[in-house]
Amino acid sequence: MENFYLEIKHIDKQTGARYGILHTPHGDVEVPMFMPVGTLATVKTLSPEELHSMGAGVILANTYHLSIRPGADLVKKAGGLHKFMNWDGPILTDSGGFQVFSLAEKRKITEDGVEFKNHLNGDKLFFSPEIAIDIEEKLGADIIMSFDECIPYPADYEYAKKSMERTLRWAQRGKDAHKRKDQALFGIVQGGDYQDLREECAKKLAEMNFPGYSIGGTSIGEPKEVCFRMIDYAVKYLPENKPRYLMGVGSLDYLLIGISKGIDMFDCVLPTRLARHGALITSTGRVNIRDAKYKEDFSPLDPNCDCYCCKNYTKAYLRHLYICDETFGKRLLTIHNIRFLIHIMEGARKAIQEDRFGDYIKVVLTAFGDERGF
RNA sequence: GGAGAGGUAGCGAAGAGGCUAAACGCGGCUGACUGUAAAUCAGCUCCUUCGGGUUCGGCGGUUCGAAUCUGCCCCUCUCCA
């Protein structure tokens, strides 16, 4: 597709990290970037205006969830996702492949597709690569995902191989079914933590010539090093001029290491979910705002943060709102976590352009000072 | 003054002879969360030098054993005068 492409502007001399512009039908966005997740066509607690003001580029929505409620036809009737949710920037829809993993006990996989029992009322819901694409075309996102199987970790070799090969066949079927020219369909690399499977999957997908590639099956409980290996295996065989998207990754260290390995896009529910649960990511580490030590702390959550929350409110107030279960508290905390990660990404892009991204990683992670990196 | 009801951990509230240091809820404290079945989930919440020690309004009694049965006392609430 002609109106979707990655323009690489600079490669960091320290790490090989990429800085570029991703052109989409709904505008240009800089990469590497973090994409907030709005599963049900809303980034929980935030308005589109807030997301824009925080510097969000692309946001996600979910094919499985939206197909159940409110239904793909309704979204289409509303004029597509952008209009429906009043977001004029780029949107990316996940295919439902993650639900094959997260709702594992409610589905059955066959060569043809996945039979779900939907999580709300147990109704049968069949997803095939073609059906997923059909729904994604109705939703109308700028970037859409192939229907894949996200396998658990650990998975035995035989299963990982069988599943990866099926995911490849599904990728081809989805590609064949995809008709809309204003949507970029990404292939997803699977293969568990097995080098040969990951490499084979990446190679085959590259041969299929997708406008972009995702790395899936990561950040599902595997050790950090395993995740980093899985990235390396895939990236080696992915075309350099196409965007690379590491799915489901949102903690600080994974993001920064991922960028250094040549990843351009990330999404994760972590910042929004953590915020709703009172956990904040700050420049000096993680903060659990509920903790008693913040009761009379009238300083901002993160003095180094430029978000609306940190500019205007104190920890004591945020703790108060959280403890009283006030909606506004969750909004403020979500604003902070999302803005914090976007801000980190802005810093990353600048560092890459100045060939000091390796130093940037060290500085950020040292200041954060937490093994877990979030 | 008369008639009832009741006093259980920070609060509310179960328990009606041993399985009870005492359910459950709230409150309090602390974790977790990674392509969202998550404004969710988990743990702790009498004291302790981890051996044990002291609890169910108070002081006695019955019993091998009492928050539970019993005597007296104190205190609350409701209704009637």
Side-chain angles (χ1 to χ4, degrees), chain A residues 256-272:
Chain A
L256 296 173
I257 301 295
I259 292 170
S260 76
K261 291 178 178 300
I263 302 295
D264 309 301
M265 306 157 65
F266 305 85
D267 80 286
C268 196
V269 306
L270 198 58
T272 45

Side-chain angles (χ1 to χ4, degrees), chain A residues 309-325:
Chain A
C309 174
C310 291
K311 285 273 178 242
N312 295 287
Y313 302 94
T314 65
K315 291 209 242 345
Y317 181 66
L318 295 169
R319 176 175 192 270
H320 160 69
L321 292 183
Y322 185 78
I323 283 176
C324 297
D325 198 27

Side-chain angles (χ1 to χ4, degrees), chain A residues 45 146 281 330 364:
Chain A
T45 79
S146 295
I281 319 161
K330 295 181 206 310
V364 170

Side-chain angles (χ1 to χ4, degrees), chain A residues 114-142:
Chain A
V114 177
E115 176 95 34
F116 288 98
K117 278 185 142 182
N118 98 37
H119 62 286
L120 293 173
N121 60 12
D123 277 0
K124 281 187 181 176
L125 178 63
F126 185 69
F127 262 57
S128 66
E130 294 81 6
I131 290 170
I133 293 295
D134 179 57
I135 297 170
E136 292 191 280
E137 289 193 336
K138 285 172 177 162
L139 296 175
D142 302 81

Side-chain angles (χ1 to χ4, degrees), chain A residues 183-197:
Chain A
Q183 295 182 300
L185 171 63
F186 280 31
I188 304 178
V189 180
Q190 291 290 350
D193 63 326
Y194 302 103
Q195 181 167 7
D196 61 323
L197 300 184

